[in-house]
Structures are given as structure tokens and as C-alpha cells.
Amino acid sequence: MFRSTALGGISLTALLFAHGAWERRWIADDGLTVLRTVRNLLAGNGPVFNAGERVEVNTSAAWTYLVWFFGWLTRARLEYVVLGLALTLSVAAIVFALLGTVRLWGGATAQLLLPAGALVYIAVPPARDYATSGLESSLVICWLAVLWWGLIRWSQAESISLAGVFALAFGAGLAPLIRPEMALIGVPALCMICAASLPRVPLPPWLIRALIGLVGGLVPVGYQIWRMGYYGLPYPNTAVAKDASGAKWRQGLVYLWDLVGPYWLWLPVVLLAAAAVVAGRSRRAARPLDRSADAAKPVARLRDRLRTPAAVVALMLGSAFLLTVYEIRVGGDFMHGRMLLPQLFCLLLPVMVVPLKLPTAGRADFGPILVPAAFAATAGWALFAAGTSAIKSDNHIGATGIADERRYYIRTTGHAHPIRAEDYLDYPRIRAMLRTIAEAPGGGLLINSPSYTTWYLVPPENGTAGHTVYYLNLGMMSMNMPLHIRVLDPMGLAYPLAAHTVRFPDARIGHDKNLDADWAVVDAGMAGRKPDLPWFLDEGWVTRIRIAMRCPATRDLLASTRDPLTADRFQRNVQQALNYAGYRIDRVPENEIERCRLASVPG
């Protein structure tokens, strides 16, 4: 009876989330950006955004290769591949999260399990928005849910197999490939698995722990070495472009409140925390105290305690705290709620369901009163939150620069569900961009103008050259044109030169770098004199940029991504990856000339 009730509740909750996610289905511009790299992989150009330039534009390596695999397997249109994959992973995340929490609360020992925390998560609009956005958000929460389910099973098993421990360690070790900051969860989880009590096998404990570390670290460490050699960086180029090592505490707190405040998100968290405490006390009171391990040695006792559900819960709650602090430090993001969804998910994992027991005669127990009251209040809150719009401006971008991305792109494209690349042709400037390319067979650099219907075209300096487009929206541009057309952005997600500038301190978060188009004119080998230059570009400025770009350190940085990948180049990239990551140029060419001592170099 209980098993069928629990499975029915899990199925109903998963279907509810699937319905909510499908009703808000879309693929973001940044989601289309991922697909440009996948297209290059399928075309044999390697994991790059522009052929011939090794730049890691996608933050999640695992997501890139997962989409590539299913794209190769199905040969279906990539937008539909990523839509189906993201929706499947999002729903699977809810299922595994619920299964893990059902086990946490003792399975069949509970009279009834109420899907309270799951209701909180699926009620928050960003959770449904990013379930199908084409970004790695669905993979992140699915990985968290599977890790949670695996750790709970491991912590409750009377006996554990070495193969099971290895599988768990391997999954935890994938953390930095899922997203680099997920290492704040994966590394502590791997350490806990290593330090906890081990399977009883005829091998020395030190050897088992070494093998656990090897299994958990082999893939991420191997990829890290390859990344440094191939891309010349110790982390994705997106982290350089957004200066992930920098600190923007005030903006981070604004981003946190932008999610918590409009939905009153603190209310269900407090209610469910209280319900969990009461239910936990009731559960402990009904269970006889086990003192069999009291006589064990302190180290052995500590190892046993690490392999308990309480330790797993502490790991997830502690990781949620660490991830939240990290996100606040870097300033959050410009997408409403997106970068706090993993933290919210971790925080809710122990209360994805809460147990309700019938009153016991002769014993005071607040659980049968508090738990259903907390659940009822949470359900009422969910109805309020699910229909709340956090950002109410006409263009769906708040005063702080944080945007409701899905509604913004619905408004600017005119499509209720922008999914295909063609849907974004109705975004301002995109059709005009394609028309300008078609009208200039000799190639050139396209720079956007204030008008939505025209682009400036800077022709090649000598003869003909390929087309290069210089604009912020990478995804919609790159997915609506062939792979041989180079696509760069002034923020630096796909353009190392822009990524290695210093960000503006008070600019919009996530958009706080903006390299002048003059640099792209010089770098792409375009004409540097009037009348070929647009009216707002200065010949003298372009000439000084040509001098500045002779800086040996800058040339070496660009060579790390553009030179042929020989063994010597790979070795140098590995050795210099940290230096390349910290290298910055000045947007003002005079300052750059002075920094590199190039003033005596003739123009």
C-alpha cells in the first residue's frame, strides 16, 4: 500500500513539473550558443565556437558532449535534441530527488509522505523556465539529484560493494565537468566517501581509498590537462569573460534578494525546516538508540558517522551554503534566479518529501499537527509563487539589470515559444545582418548600428576575406549562419581579446566587458582608413591599436588559441595556462602601448 502511494506521489509530482516546464518551453540565446560548438563537433572542426580558434565558450563540458552525443545518435535537429534532453533530465531530477528523500525518511516506516519541498521547487517560475532553456541547468540539478539518491543509498546500506563505492565516487568526481563551481559539492562528497567506513574486501584500506580517489579524479583531471593544452586556460573562457575570480558582493546580495524577495521564498523554507525538525525528533524517539559502536575506536566511530544519512544531509546543506556564498561573491547573474537554482535544490533535498505519522496514543507528538499545517501553508504559497512575476517592467529587465530572459525573448521575437534558430530571426537586427552578409560577397567585418535594419560593413584591407560578425547575441547569430562565418562578441565569451580586458565596475552584471569594435577591425585584418571605416571609428585610434597589438604577451595569448596545435604548443599552453588566465589588456591603446613599452615601434 505504501509503496504504491509513494510511487504515485512521485509520478504525479514529476508529471506536474513536466507540464509546467512544457508550458514554458523555449531555448535561450545562450542555449543556442551551446549548439554552435556542437555543430562544429559534428562537422569535424573540434569543440570550438569558430573554426581555427580554440575557445571554450560553453561553461559545462559535460552538457556540450551530451548534446553532441545525442545529436550524433539521432541526427535530429539540434534544437529539438536539446529541448527533449533538457526536459527529460529536469523531470528525472525530480524523480531521483524524491526517491532519495523517501529513503531518507525511512520508506515504509512512514504513514504518509507529502511532496512539500518538491512543490516549492517546481512552483518557483525560474525552475520551470530553465528546465528547457538549452542551458546546462537541467543537467546540474539531475546530477545533484542522482548524487543525493546514491549517497542516501550508500549511507543506509548494511553492506556496501566496492563497485558501488566506485560508481558513487565516479559520479561525484564529474562535478567540475557538470559546472566548475559544482566542485564545491563534488569534492567534499568524494572526500566523505574516501574517509568513511569501507567495504569489507581483502585489500588494504589505503589502497581502496587511493582507488576511490583515482576513480573519482581520473576523468576530471584528465580533462583538465587536455583543456589547458587545447584551450590554453585552466577553466572555460566564460569564466575569464565574466571574471569569476572577482568579487561583487553587493550585486550578489541584490541577485539573491531578486529571487527570494518577490516570491517570499524564505517562508516555505522556514516552514519545512521546522516540519523536518519535528518529524526528525519524532522518528528518533520512536527508534531505539544504538550504542553498539560506543566502544569502537574514535577514528572508526568517526568513519561510521560519515556513512550516515545525517552526514549526507549535512553535506548537501553545507554545499548549498558554500555555493550561495560563492554566487553572492561573484555578483550573481543577469538571468533571474538561474544561478541560484542548484542552491535552492540542494537546500530542499532533505525535505523533498516530509513524513506524516498518525498520532500515537499516550505520547505527546506535534508531528501530526505541525507537518500537515506546514504542508498546507506551503501548498498555498506555491499557488501564489507559481503565478508571480518577479520583474514587472515592460521590457522584462529590472532596474538592477536582472532580466526575466524567457519573457524578454518572447517579447522581442514575437514567438510564444522561441525554440528554433529561425524564431530568432525576428529579433532586432538579425534579418538585416543576414542581408548585409549576402550583399557583401567580398567579406568584411559587420558592426551593428543604432538602426535595427542596417549594419556597418568594414571591408578587408586587401582583396577579399571571410565575414566576421561583431555583436553580443552569439547564439541567435551563429545558429542562423554557416560555420565558416566568424562570430565574435565584445564581451569576450567567444573572443579572447575581449575576454582579457578589465570589466567595468558598475556595468550590468554579466555584461560588464565591452571591447571597442576598433580592436576587432585590426584583429580581423580590415581596412583602417576612411571612407571604409564607419563614421564613429577614428583612423588614429585604429593605428594605435595596430601598434598595441604587437605586444609580445598579447600575441602569445592569441597564439595559444590560434596556432596549430603541435606538441610544443600543447606543452606551452599547459605550462602557461594560469598566466594566460590572469592576463589583461587595456582598452585604451595608448595605455597598452605604454604597458608593453611599444612607444618606439613605428606605426
Side-chain angles (χ1 to χ4, degrees):
M1 174 66 180
F2 165 77
R3 185 176 297 274
S4 61
T5 302
L7 291 177
I10 292 172
S11 301
L12 183 61
T13 307
L15 286 173
L16 186 63
F17 185 45
H19 173 73
W22 182 254
E23 286 295 304
R24 301 168 84 99
R25 64 192 180 278
W26 71 305
I27 294 180
D29 176 63
D30 284 12
L32 293 176
T33 300
V34 174
L35 300 186
R36 166 82 168 200
T37 300
V38 175
R39 285 175 66 200
N40 272 301
L41 273 167
L42 292 171
N45 297 327
V48 298
F49 191 78
N50 291 305
E53 190 168 35
R54 298 180 300 275
V55 181
E56 190 176 15
V57 175
N58 303 339
T59 304
S60 172
W63 181 238
T64 299
Y65 287 101
L66 198 62
V67 175
W68 164 78
F69 173 76
F70 282 99
W72 169 81
L73 184 67
T74 63
R75 300 294 173 177
R77 182 169 178 143
L78 288 177
E79 292 95 322
Y80 298 143
V81 170
V82 79
L83 180 69
L85 186 58
L87 184 60
T88 300
L89 289 172
S90 295
V91 175
I94 294 296
V95 172
F96 277 102
L98 288 167
L99 288 173
T101 311
V102 166
R103 292 186 66 96
L104 172 70
W105 288 108
T109 62
Q111 295 291 330
L112 185 62
L113 294 170
L114 305 174
L119 197 60
V120 172
Y121 185 78
I122 66 179
V124 176
R128 286 170 283 142
D129 284 349
Y130 292 101
T132 62
S133 66
L135 295 162
E136 71 279 355
S137 303
S138 56
L139 177 62
V140 171
I141 65 165
C142 189
W143 174 78
L144 287 171
V146 173
L147 181 65
W148 162 255
W149 171 76
L151 286 171
I152 290 295
R153 284 172 56 91
W154 166 77
S155 69
Q156 292 180 335
E158 293 184 6
S159 61
I160 50 177
S161 68
L162 195 58
V165 171
F166 285 163
L168 195 57
F170 179 81
L174 293 177
L177 303 183
I178 302 296
R179 252 192 91 88
E181 66 267 29
M182 289 301 112
L184 293 174
I185 298 177
V187 171
L190 191 58
C191 290
M192 186 170 75
I193 296 166
C194 280
S197 54
L198 299 171
R200 291 185 174 88
V201 295
L203 289 174
W206 67 266
L207 180 58
I208 297 176
R209 292 192 168 89
L211 290 173
I212 291 173
L214 179 64
V215 170
L218 186 61
V219 172
V221 171
Y223 183 83
Q224 181 64 18
I225 295 171
W226 179 84
R227 166 189 277 154
M228 293 167 71
Y230 189 81
Y231 296 111
L233 289 174
Y235 34 71
N237 187 65
T238 50
V240 179
K242 298 189 178 184
D243 270 347
S245 59
K248 279 195 167 184
W249 291 99
R250 179 178 296 179
Q251 176 62 33
L253 290 171
V254 169
Y255 186 69
L256 177 65
W257 186 248
D258 184 73
L259 176 66
V260 174
Y263 308 114
W264 290 41
L265 193 52
W266 56 269
L267 180 60
V269 171
V270 170
L271 288 172
L272 295 183
V277 169
V278 169
R281 286 181 176 176
S282 175
R283 187 165 174 261
R284 285 194 298 272
R287 187 176 56 195
L289 196 61
D290 183 11
R291 299 184 180 277
S292 59
D294 285 355
K297 294 179 180 180
V299 174
R301 193 160 59 242
L302 177 60
R303 294 192 188 282
D304 288 341
R305 286 177 178 172
L306 285 174
R307 197 168 73 84
T308 60
V312 176
V313 170
L315 171 74
M316 288 299 174
L317 296 181
S319 297
F321 174 76
L322 288 176
L323 279 171
T324 303
V325 171
Y326 169 79
E327 200 58 46
I328 292 173
R329 183 183 184 276
V330 300
D333 192 45
F334 65 94
M335 299 185 191
H336 168 64
R338 179 200 164 204
M339 297 307 297
L340 290 172
L341 291 177
Q343 293 86 326
L344 177 63
F345 195 76
C346 280
L347 193 65
L348 293 172
L349 280 172
V351 290
M352 281 289 173
V353 296
V354 289
L356 174 62
K357 290 188 176 182
L358 297 177
T360 303
R363 185 164 61 86
D365 189 356
F366 294 103
I369 299 174
L370 180 60
V371 171
F375 178 75
T378 298
W381 169 89
L383 291 174
F384 151 76
T388 297
S389 176
I391 299 173
K392 297 179 169 47
S393 61
D394 291 340
N395 65 353
H396 308 298
I397 301 177
T400 60
I402 300 170
D404 184 333
E405 284 281 287
R406 186 185 68 87
R407 295 176 68 206
Y408 170 79
Y409 282 117
I410 288 173
R411 176 180 177 273
T412 52
T413 65
H415 294 270
H417 303 287
I419 293 172
R420 304 174 306 161
E422 296 93 308
D423 295 337
Y424 283 88
L425 288 175
D426 295 317
Y427 187 84
R429 297 190 176 93
I430 301 302
R431 290 189 187 276
M433 174 198 68
L434 295 177
R435 185 174 60 252
T436 304
I437 291 174
E439 293 172 352
L445 175 71
L446 275 73
I447 305 170
N448 68 290
S449 75
S451 168
Y452 288 165
T453 59
T454 59
W455 286 70
Y456 296 114
L457 179 73
V458 184
E461 188 168 30
N462 296 305
T464 60
H467 290 95
T468 299
V469 183
Y470 195 62
Y471 190 52
L472 182 63
N473 295 96
L474 289 173
M476 63 180 73
M477 290 192 305
S478 63
M479 286 298 288
N480 277 298
M481 62 179 61
L483 292 176
H484 68 267
I485 296 179
R486 192 174 178 219
V487 181
L488 303 175
D489 64 309
M491 197 177 78
L493 294 176
Y495 191 22
L497 199 63
H500 289 271
T501 58
V502 179
R503 66 183 182 179
F504 296 106
D506 298 319
R508 183 188 179 199
I509 189 69
H511 296 75
D512 41 14
K513 291 187 177 181
N514 188 10
L515 185 64
D516 297 326
D518 317 60
W519 288 83
V521 168
V522 174
D523 189 34
M526 301 300 165
R529 297 190 180 278
K530 303 291 184 179
D532 293 327
L533 286 177
W535 63 269
F536 57 89
L537 298 186
D538 180 73
E539 289 183 11
W541 189 267
V542 170
T543 299
R544 290 189 292 275
I545 289 173
R546 290 190 194 279
I547 298 173
M549 286 196 63
R550 295 173 184 170
C551 179
T554 302
R555 292 167 68 90
D556 184 41
L557 171 73
L558 295 177
S560 70
T561 65
R562 296 175 182 177
D563 276 4
L565 191 64
T566 62
D568 289 342
R569 181 75 258 175
F570 188 94
Q571 181 181 1
R572 177 165 178 77
N573 280 0
V574 171
Q575 293 170 343
Q576 296 297 317
L578 289 173
N579 292 332
Y580 291 148
Y583 183 72
R584 295 293 181 269
I585 67 170
D586 198 304
R587 295 180 188 83
V588 180
E590 287 85 353
N591 296 342
E592 190 67 5
I593 290 170
E594 182 180 355
R595 182 182 70 85
C596 295
R597 300 179 181 178
L598 296 171
S600 61
V601 178

